Amino acid sequence: MARALSNTHCSSSETVAEPEADESTEQTRRAILLGALASTACLGCSTRAHAAEDPPGSDERPQRGDVLVFSEGDQEGKLVTAADLPAGGPPVHAWPKDPKTSVVRSASRLNEILIIRLDPAELDEQTKARAVDGILAYSAICSHAGCPVTAWVKSDAGDKEVFKCMCHNSEYDPRAGAQVVFGPAPRRLAALPLALADGALSVAGNFIGKVGGAQPG
Amino acid sequence: MKTSITKKQWYLSGFVAFTCLVSTAAIAGPIENYAPVTQQRLENPEPGNWMLYRRTYDGQGYSPLDQINTSNVKNLTPVWTFATGVVEGHEAPPIVNNGVMFVATPMGQVIALNAKTGDEYWRYKRQLPDDLFQLHPTSRGVGLWEDKLYLATTDDHVVALDAKTGKVVWDTKVQDYKKGQYMTLMPLIVDGKVIVGGSGGEFGVRGYVAAFDAKDGKELWRTFTIPGEGEPGHDTWQGDDWKNGGGSAWMTGNYDKDTKTIYWGVGNAAPWPGEMHPGDNLYTSSVLALDPGTGKIKTYHQYHQNDSWDWDEVEAPMLIDLQRDGRNIKSLVHPGRDAIFWVLERTPTKINYVAGWPFVATDVWKGIDAESGKPIVDPDHKPVVGKRVEFCPSLWGGKDWPSAAYSQKTGLVYVPANENFCGGFTGEKIALKPGELWLGTKPEDIGLKAKPGADHFGELQAWDPATGKKVWQHNFPKSQLFGSVTATAGDLVFAGGTNDRNFRAFNAKTGELLWEQKTNSGIMGMPVSYEIDGTQYVAVQSGWGVDAQRIQDALATNNIGIESNVPQGGVIWVFALKK
Ligand code: FES
């Protein structure tokens, strides 16, 4: 699934293939490690030049143990709990937040997350295995050109509600690992493993899959 | 505002390029015997070259070459192709200077090629930030001056490259991409000034046109398209609306070398529903006449007031000498996104309305005031907050940014138009978040509808601007027409723009389809023509994406038997007559 457009990025980070949902944990772990190495080698290519204005850690990707806060709406900044998630959608938009420093990781738009609760009976096997109480989290950044995925609407290609990026109409099915069901997006949305304890949600691991557009911009 | 980068930044940027190993790699370069570009050459370009966006400063998109003509165009055949390695909409004209071709692609790439053989000299690949996003991630080309070329980037920098090697000479940050500021246009070069305009009206930015010194990237002037406090026109805005008023300058301007005036098209007001920014909203949906030396606004003409339809008027009007009603008119001709074919007169101090007529069906205008040239709006079809309003044509208008062309031989203007699409949306007050879309409606509320029973959508139209008569029209039954057109002295009009991947040549006098060729993808790019060693070539980029793709998806969801399956991926195609 690595696209043929590696030349517009740092070459090293592009060698990281998107781990498919059915890959072994070991493969995934290795890919994440490679990704981490790649980003170290390409420090100058990232957007970190802008980090000076933001608190430390606010542009880092979600970390294990981060809590989740609403990124928009009346409850912006408040913790997202399982009770905030209506069964069957729509998704809640959230940022990860470091519980130790209270830093919200909102300095990079690549950190915005969609959290949704679905009927576990509707989920495919791999997605079901990742869900906690039917709750799933995905990157909110479209894999086409990086717009935010904002809509929860009936699919153009089927009769179920799907995540939709209105920029160029890409649709993703959250019941099936957010695979693309319509439009120009080249690959699924990255998934974010979650943990649930006493109704409180937290991040259980790194994004699985590449976050962001196929090509920047 | 910004100046050229410091020594330390130079060093750092060199370091970044090295660690990433992908900044610029010479393949067959450097280029020997490069022909430096002067003001004299830009003002009187050799017939065999294409050095400006529309070849000449007047924006006509006309090549005086006629070796390929109506009698032999059937023998046109590809002579070389070059895959750009990039998906998304490829919109730039291949720019040609004495046998060297420079092509800009989406994602900040410039490729230098031998225009005769297709061999690569060098390639520049910009390192774009991972968190960049735009609705229109594309590039419309590189400007040339002396031995450098100039690229405006989607992360909002202007970059100067050495034409022979592709090495970065300077790199000036213009504004902050994180606030929705970006650039997609080909810079206009006048007298050593690199003149660009900002995109991003859909993010609620304030538009501008700015000039940079071609030598060192120093900013020379910046003129906002939305007048600030104390500036003429500011009173056409209320409160603080002007601060985020839109008015993006998406496209390259044209230039009147006799009066030293540049004419720049200005985008719509933000957010979309007009009641969210009461007033005429100067200079949105207008043409500005600017002094290239200082950026001073000499005069302007606003095509329509208080835009509410997303009808930016960003294609600069063509400068055409017309004989109309027994008078010689130095005209500005603009087939508008607002569905009106505008004929204006440019004088050194004023732009006069001459004539205007709808070139596709519209229910928005009830007429045009003959004195002022202001169109009269039907309030039933003007979007408002809290209610769904439908209007025709759609928000992509009668003709969007793809360029029309004018043939000096036929005296006709060729318009890539769209008919039988209507649209609508429900206006909504939404708080502005810098860097996020701010349309004044939920994107999911926007609709595009094919008129029931419509037998076609795209139309290539030929108009006589002197008489207001349509001379011919070619309909596309199963596709929109979304690509720039080019006319040649061989009495040909070249156009892509359809969802069937075809590139076509039409008889400029009659509209007869004379030749077509399937390409790898759909064509949104601008066709050009050039000559090397006595052979005439025609070149175009094929690479579907951006708005053509969005219309295509909308067509697919209209259940009228049109699929959303145009393949993507950019290829430069070059054609010549079979030997
Ligand atoms: S960015 Fe989402 S469909 Fe294009």
Side-chain angles (χ1 to χ4, degrees):
Chain A
M1 292 287 280
R3 312 303 293 176
L5 309 157
S6 46
N7 43 33
T8 57
H9 297 274
C10 303
S11 53
S12 47
S13 62
E14 279 300 308
T15 58
V16 184
E18 178 197 4
E20 294 294 336
D22 59 355
E23 282 180 334
S24 72
T25 323
E26 176 52 26
Q27 277 174 308
T28 307
R29 197 193 65 76
R30 208 161 2 132
I32 290 166
L33 186 66
L34 276 170
L37 283 174
S39 45
T40 325
C42 258
L43 268 182
C45 310
S46 78
T47 55
R48 279 150 208 253
H50 300 271
E53 310 139 24
D54 301 312
S58 61
D59 66 341
E60 279 169 17
R61 294 289 160 269
Q63 312 278 312
R64 192 187 186 95
D66 280 358
V67 294
L68 298 154
V69 296
F70 287 90
S71 64
E72 59 177 30
D74 299 343
Q75 302 200 69
E76 191 171 331
K78 298 230 173 71
L79 277 186
V80 181
T81 67
D84 293 314
L85 298 163
V92 158
H93 289 244
W95 295 119
K97 176 176 164 177
D98 185 334
K100 293 187 225 71
T101 61
S102 293
V103 166
V104 177
R105 303 193 196 280
S106 57
S108 170
R109 55 188 304 279
L110 300 180
N111 288 346
E112 192 162 12
I113 299 158
L114 299 168
I115 311 171
I116 192 163
R117 186 202 289 257
L118 295 163
D119 178 355
E122 287 193 347
L123 307 182
D124 72 18
E125 284 311 307
Q126 288 146 13
T127 310
K128 198 186 289 176
R130 190 185 297 139
V132 281
D133 232 4
I135 300 171
L136 291 155
Y138 293 103
S139 165
I141 302 302
C142 181
S143 70
H144 176 228
C147 275
V149 175
T150 54
W152 177 244
V153 292
K154 277 254 180 326
S155 170
D156 281 321
D159 57 354
K160 290 219 169 108
E161 277 162 323
V162 289
F163 294 154
K164 181 157 185 160
C165 173
M166 299 310 302
C167 285
H168 316 92
N169 299 310
S170 289
E171 296 179 354
Y172 303 90
D173 184 358
R175 303 162 200 85
Q179 72 178 22
V180 181
V181 291
F182 186 81
R187 58 179 152 71
R188 63 188 65 217
L189 297 173
L192 187 68
L194 292 182
L196 179 63
D198 300 329
L201 286 168
S202 62
V203 174
N206 295 342
F207 274 120
I208 300 170
K210 185 177 176 337
V211 181
Q215 304 168 103
Chain B
M1 193 167 73
K2 296 283 179 230
T3 54
S4 57
I5 60 176
T6 63
K7 243 190 191 159
K8 196 163 143 211
Q9 285 168 317
W10 264 111
Y11 174 76
L12 276 172
S13 63
F15 176 71
V16 169
F18 175 74
T19 53
C20 295
L21 292 175
V22 286
S23 175
T24 308
I27 308 292
I31 297 164
E32 311 286 346
N33 304 321
Y34 184 71
V37 174
T38 59
Q39 186 61 22
Q40 196 274 330
R41 288 190 66 213
L42 291 178
E43 287 185 10
N44 297 292
E46 307 84 9
N49 282 324
W50 195 289
M51 297 185 289
L52 290 161
Y53 188 56
R54 301 297 281 139
R55 201 186 86 83
T56 42
Y57 272 133
D58 51 25
Q60 293 178 357
Y62 174 74
S63 166
L65 301 177
D66 61 2
Q67 185 182 87
I68 303 166
N69 55 48
T70 49
S71 64
N72 60 20
V73 68
K74 60 181 182 300
N75 298 323
L76 207 56
T77 193
V79 291
W80 59 263
T81 58
F82 189 99
T84 68
V86 179
V87 293
E88 260 310 339
H90 287 56
E91 299 182 351
I95 292 295
V96 180
N97 176 21
N98 283 18
V100 182
M101 177 185 287
F102 301 105
V103 185
T105 76
M107 315 311 151
Q109 179 179 230
V110 183
I111 308 167
L113 298 159
N114 181 319
K116 187 173 175 179
T117 63
D119 290 331
E120 179 178 331
Y121 289 120
W122 54 255
R123 207 192 274 229
Y124 167 78
K125 292 170 186 166
R126 185 162 183 80
Q127 304 301 302
L128 292 170
D130 280 344
D131 61 348
L132 189 62
F133 99 87
Q134 281 114 18
L135 271 187
H136 308 88
T138 189
S139 169
R140 299 200 176 93
V142 285
L144 310 183
W145 182 252
E146 295 180 342
D147 54 0
K148 297 186 201 60
L149 48 95
Y150 302 89
L151 176 71
T153 71
T154 47
D155 60 338
D156 223 52
H157 286 233
V158 178
V159 182
L161 302 175
D162 182 316
K164 291 188 208 139
T165 63
K167 293 234 155 54
V168 175
V169 181
W170 53 257
D171 178 333
T172 298
K173 180 179 169 186
V174 181
Q175 292 196 86
D176 184 358
Y177 75 84
K178 290 201 169 189
K179 304 217 165 85
Q181 298 278 0
Y182 65 112
M183 284 186 286
T184 52
L185 80 176
M186 172 170 161
L188 172 70
I189 316 290
V190 176
D191 281 326
K193 293 181 183 65
V194 182
I195 307 173
V196 298
S199 304
E202 72 273 40
F203 293 97
V205 302
R206 182 182 173 210
Y208 67 92
V209 181
F212 298 85
D213 189 323
K215 276 196 308 296
D216 55 15
K218 199 165 151 263
E219 183 167 327
L220 301 172
W221 52 258
R222 185 176 301 215
T223 299
F224 286 96
T225 58
I226 313 284
E229 279 154 332
E231 291 175 328
H234 182 70
D235 57 355
T236 62
W237 294 86
Q238 288 186 13
D240 283 345
D241 293 348
W242 62 279
K243 289 184 177 161
N244 306 98
S248 295
W250 294 87
M251 304 278 298
T252 312
N254 292 326
Y255 177 55
D256 185 337
K257 60 193 183 204
D258 297 331
T259 61
K260 295 205 183 302
T261 307
I262 51 178
Y263 291 93
W264 216 286
V266 181
N268 56 295
W272 292 351
E275 68 179 294
M276 291 175 70
H277 42 81
D280 278 2
N281 310 136
L282 292 175
Y283 299 98
T284 61
S285 298
S286 300
V287 53
L288 281 180
L290 298 164
D291 177 340
T294 61
K296 198 172 161 307
I297 297 173
K298 295 184 178 186
T299 185
Y300 71 96
H301 175 81
Q302 188 172 41
Y303 299 105
H304 61 270
Q305 292 66 42
N306 188 235
D307 179 81
S308 303
W309 306 267
D310 188 29
W311 287 343
D312 59 22
E313 299 296 352
V314 290
E315 196 200 0
M318 291 182 276
L319 279 55
I320 301 174
D321 289 343
L322 285 185
Q323 264 270 331
R324 206 186 143 92
D325 302 330
R327 224 160 51 88
N328 287 326
I329 297 180
K330 293 210 162 291
S331 80
L332 296 172
V333 171
H334 174 69
R337 187 155 162 178
D338 61 12
I340 298 170
F341 192 111
W342 294 99
V343 180
L344 309 170
E345 178 182 23
R346 63 189 202 275
T347 76
T349 52
K350 204 165 167 291
I351 298 171
N352 300 314
Y353 168 71
V354 177
W357 60 88
F359 62 97
V360 297
T362 173
D363 57 16
V364 168
W365 310 121
K366 295 206 249 183
I368 299 174
D369 180 90
E371 270 306 299
S372 64
K374 289 187 177 182
I376 302 154
V377 69
D378 181 341
D380 288 348
H381 298 289
K382 181 168 178 172
V384 293
V385 174
K387 191 176 120 194
R388 186 165 184 89
V389 174
E390 306 283 337
F391 53 89
C392 308
S394 78
L395 65 83
W396 280 284
K399 181 191 84 64
D400 205 292
W401 66 266
S403 293
Y406 172 71
S407 164
Q408 293 167 10
K409 269 185 76 188
T410 63
L412 301 180
V413 171
Y414 303 98
V415 184
N418 282 301
E419 183 60 285
N420 293 322
F421 287 136
C422 299
F425 60 87
T426 309
E428 190 183 340
K429 286 200 171 129
I430 293 167
L432 176 79
K433 274 197 201 167
E436 295 295 337
L437 293 176
W438 193 58
L439 306 175
T441 180
K442 284 207 190 73
E444 45 272 44
D445 280 349
I446 303 167
L448 175 81
K449 283 204 192 100
K451 276 192 193 158
D455 64 353
H456 71 280
F457 301 103
E459 292 182 352
L460 180 60
Q461 305 176 342
W463 287 92
D464 184 340
T467 61
K469 290 221 168 64
K470 193 194 281 177
V471 177
W472 57 259
Q473 174 174 316
H474 182 96
N475 294 344
F476 298 95
K478 292 270 180 193
S479 177
Q480 71 274 45
L481 185 61
F482 210 90
S484 295
V485 305
T486 290
T488 73
D491 280 336
L492 296 170
V493 179
F494 287 94
T498 51
N499 60 17
D500 55 8
R501 302 188 280 119
N502 272 319
F503 186 44
R504 298 185 170 90
F506 296 88
N507 183 317
K509 287 187 182 141
T510 65
E512 189 191 348
L513 174 63
L514 298 176
W515 170 86
E516 61 188 341
Q517 161 83 45
K518 283 261 186 246
T519 66
N520 55 297
S521 180
I523 296 174
M524 310 171 68
M526 185 182 297
V528 305
S529 192
Y530 60 94
E531 185 181 73
I532 303 171
D533 298 338
T535 298
Q536 182 186 353
Y537 298 88
V538 174
V540 72
Q541 295 204 80
S542 177
W544 199 246
V546 206
D547 282 290
Q549 163 78 49
R550 291 165 72 200
I551 298 171
Q552 186 66 28
D553 285 333
L555 270 176
T557 56
N558 265 261
N559 292 323
I560 47 176
I562 296 176
E563 295 292 316
S564 173
N565 55 3
V566 184
Q568 290 205 12
V571 172
I572 306 158
W573 288 76
V574 177
F575 303 89
L577 293 174
K578 240 176 249 152
K579 286 254 165 74

